[in-house]
Amino acid sequence: MKTWPRQPDSRTCGPSSVVVAQAVLAGSGAGPWPRFEEDVLAMHRRLTGVRDRHGRWQVPWPRMFGTPPWAVARELGGSVHRYRQAEVLAALPTPVPVFLGTRWLPRHVVLVLDERDGEPLVYNPALGAVVPLSSSRWKRRWWAVLPR
């Protein structure tokens, strides 16, 4: 059985999803996760800093506001799209970050890893578990970071 790590604080769902996505793409998504907190906090600094992983300039973002979708897309080599479930499921087995929130504001990032009967199954970093997307308390699907 796979074990999934929990995000280290209330603002690191985005970088937690990116770290897990990179591990899944590298074939080590089942863990173990010995440096997860350290890796997530470093990823958060990089995703919100003035330079991306290639040293290119990017618009800095206050970490207290979470993670901007364009930085997640740049890190994973994808692009930001309005959430459409069919497109997200078509991108599998590549992990797909999805930004969820209220009707007014995105608040949480999860990672679509699989599907069951057309229902996306997501790594939810707040829970440290893979659960159906519909079980999230955040009902509005804002964006998906789809692979290119």
Side-chain angles (χ1 to χ4, degrees):
M1 179 172 169
K2 290 184 179 183
T3 59
W4 299 96
R6 291 182 71 150
Q7 67 190 63
D9 63 40
S10 64
R11 291 174 169 56
T12 54
C13 54
S16 295
S17 294
V18 170
V19 168
V20 168
Q22 290 174 333
V24 167
L25 291 168
S28 60
W33 305 95
R35 294 173 24 109
F36 186 73
E37 183 173 346
E38 185 179 326
D39 291 345
V40 167
L41 296 175
M43 180 64 69
H44 202 197
R45 285 189 298 275
R46 183 162 75 217
L47 293 174
T48 59
V50 295
R51 292 197 184 268
D52 68 11
R53 69 184 174 124
H54 302 291
R56 295 180 300 222
W57 289 100
Q58 65 183 1
V59 176
W61 187 259
R63 271 179 263 173
M64 67 183 188
F65 295 139
T67 310
W70 55 85
V72 171
R74 192 177 305 114
E75 183 69 28
L76 294 176
S79 55
V80 179
H81 296 264
R82 189 169 162 228
Y83 179 87
R84 289 186 178 86
Q85 187 163 302
E87 291 176 345
V88 169
L89 296 180
L92 294 173
T94 301
V96 178
V98 172
F99 286 71
L100 308 173
T102 66
R103 137 181 197 200
W104 298 281
L105 194 63
R107 302 289 300 159
H108 190 50
V109 183
V110 297
L111 186 65
V112 178
L113 296 173
D114 204 352
E115 63 90 19
R116 185 180 326 138
D117 299 325
E119 167 80 12
L121 298 177
V122 301
Y123 159 67
N124 185 332
L127 303 174
V130 174
V131 296
L133 179 59
S134 61
S135 70
S136 174
R137 73 180 186 142
W138 305 108
K139 299 304 177 193
R140 171 86 153 84
R141 280 84 170 133
W142 281 81
W143 304 294
V145 176
L146 298 173
R148 288 197 176 131

